[in-house]
Amino acid sequence: MPRDYEINQSFLKTIVGPEDANLDVVAVHGLNPKNTPNHAEATWTSGDKLWLRDFFPDLSPKTRVMLFGYNANVAFETSSAGIREQAENLLNWLNIERKNDPGRMLVFFCHSMGGILVKRALVHAKSDKNYEPIHTSTAGLVFFATPHKGGNHAALGDVAAKIARGVLLYPSNTFMEALKRNSIFADTFIDDFRQHLEDYLILSFYETRPMGKLGIIVDKRSATLGLPGTRELQIGLDADHREICKFKSEGDPIFKQVSQNILFLLEAAWTAKTHKSSLSRLGISSLKTEEKLKFHSTWRTEDIKTHLYGFLN
């Protein structure tokens, strides 16, 4: 039987830790169906295969992969205070784990409402000097069916409640109403993050398979940010809300599609970071918006191996 702290306390666990790592990936889960202690792993696992540990290192050998675990059900039920607390826990754990290399490039992988927590954390990191290295090091965000805004004919709180119905076994009426009223889904929070969008490259995967009678849980309108293709790549996957980030094998066509697009994002992020460093040496503090767009358009290029070979291998 799991101990209480295994469920209720947050943690950041390394599952892949090469000694020569030059990139950190942090995977963040959403609601926990059974409030179990292994949900941080189960979110990304099909059968006995956790693709972040078993498949991804072959494509990106110098990447450290970490899982963030937290009591998502309580966090989302207790309104913005619960989300803010867990977002700060995530930032604090990252400071601890990255103390020896705080400037290492960082990318977040987020499933469902875990993306909301990560967005809250990044908004906080930008305004708090204690977490400034996390903000400046974060290059990319990979969202798997994260509800960024309301869907077709539904407010964002209603989309969140639909996620609860699809993911949790027996969500209480109290929990459902709390989700609908939760201020984390208010326009003010959405606007807060929108002001940060230029800081990151974004990959948004959305579900195209219905989940039983509930249908599509998070539709394309909700799961994408509506940014230009140079800032956000939007891809529909042949999966439902629960299975969208679970892959049985390296030969799975959906895994190939997901992983190759993640590598495109990493390529573009590394290109932009290298260029930014060059500008800094020349005394130029930052890229203008149009220059960012020009550089970030490289993530659609075909010569991915040329750019990635030295960095990821």
Side-chain angles (χ1 to χ4, degrees):
M1 186 172 179
R3 289 166 288 185
D4 287 344
Y5 79 85
E6 291 179 311
I7 296 175
N8 295 322
Q9 291 191 356
S10 64
F11 62 86
L12 188 63
K13 177 167 67 175
T14 297
I15 58 170
V16 180
E19 291 185 1
D20 58 347
N22 54 16
L23 169 68
D24 280 343
V25 163
V26 178
V28 182
H29 64 81
L31 292 178
N32 188 343
K34 298 180 182 179
N35 205 28
T36 53
N38 66 339
H39 188 58
E41 291 91 348
T43 295
W44 316 93
T45 300
S46 178
D48 62 348
K49 297 299 183 183
L50 199 173
W51 65 274
L52 293 167
R53 179 195 64 208
D54 299 326
F55 309 151
F56 193 64
D58 291 338
L59 302 173
S60 184
K62 291 187 179 181
T63 297
R64 177 171 63 167
V65 180
M66 295 177 281
L67 302 178
F68 179 64
Y70 64 106
N71 192 324
N73 300 359
V74 170
F76 283 99
E77 186 175 10
T78 53
S79 193
S80 59
I83 299 300
R84 183 171 61 250
E85 179 181 276
Q86 293 300 344
E88 291 179 7
N89 277 335
L90 171 58
L91 295 173
N92 184 255
W93 276 116
L94 283 170
N95 265 1
I96 293 170
E97 295 298 327
R98 288 164 53 88
K99 64 181 183 297
N100 294 328
D101 191 1
R104 182 183 294 170
M105 195 165 79
L106 178 61
V107 175
F108 289 95
F109 292 2
C110 316
H111 177 237
S112 189
M113 287 163 64
I116 293 173
L117 185 144
V118 168
K119 291 192 294 182
R120 179 72 268 172
L122 291 173
V123 168
H124 184 81
K126 191 169 185 176
S127 62
D128 188 330
K129 288 186 178 180
N130 292 317
Y131 302 122
E132 186 176 359
I134 295 171
H135 162 66
T136 56
S137 299
T138 300
L141 304 172
V142 181
F143 294 114
F144 293 87
T146 288
H148 299 292
K149 53 186 178 292
N152 293 325
H153 313 297
L156 182 50
D158 293 322
V159 174
K162 190 174 184 181
I163 292 173
R165 283 195 296 271
V167 174
L168 303 182
L169 293 180
Y170 302 105
S172 68
N173 290 334
T174 302
F175 183 77
M176 300 291 280
E177 288 303 316
L179 280 178
K180 291 180 181 180
R181 296 192 309 269
N182 199 326
S183 60
I184 198 70
F185 304 128
D187 289 341
T188 51
F189 171 70
I190 296 172
D191 290 342
D192 281 347
F193 185 71
R194 186 161 289 279
Q195 296 176 26
H196 297 242
L197 290 176
E198 277 198 9
D199 297 336
Y200 316 112
L201 287 167
I202 295 170
L203 184 54
S204 297
F205 294 111
Y206 59 92
E207 64 209 66
T208 62
R209 277 186 175 268
M211 200 160 145
K213 294 180 180 179
L214 289 172
I216 299 293
I217 302 295
V218 181
D219 62 32
K220 180 181 179 181
R221 184 181 183 279
S222 180
T224 56
L225 289 159
L227 302 175
T230 49
R231 302 297 310 162
E232 177 190 26
L233 195 56
Q234 305 172 3
I235 299 172
L237 297 179
D238 185 25
D240 64 24
H241 188 79
R242 187 178 290 160
E243 301 297 319
I244 195 168
C245 53
K246 301 179 184 222
F247 313 110
K248 294 179 180 179
S249 70
E250 291 179 274
D252 184 334
I254 300 179
F255 172 71
K256 183 174 182 180
Q257 186 177 20
V258 166
S259 61
Q260 290 303 309
N261 277 286
I262 288 174
L263 291 179
F264 280 126
L265 181 145
L266 296 179
E267 173 198 15
W270 182 243
T271 301
K273 181 178 179 179
T274 302
H275 182 66
K276 186 175 181 180
S277 297
S278 299
L279 289 178
S280 180
R281 288 194 294 270
L282 293 172
I284 302 172
S285 60
S286 63
L287 292 172
K288 295 179 180 178
T289 300
E290 60 270 20
E291 291 172 322
K292 285 183 180 179
L293 294 178
K294 179 180 177 182
F295 261 94
H296 293 157
S297 67
T298 62
W299 76 338
R300 293 179 183 272
T301 188
E302 292 299 319
D303 58 348
I304 184 171
K305 291 183 179 179
T306 301
H307 289 277
L308 287 174
Y309 182 77
F311 177 54
L312 298 177
N313 300 296

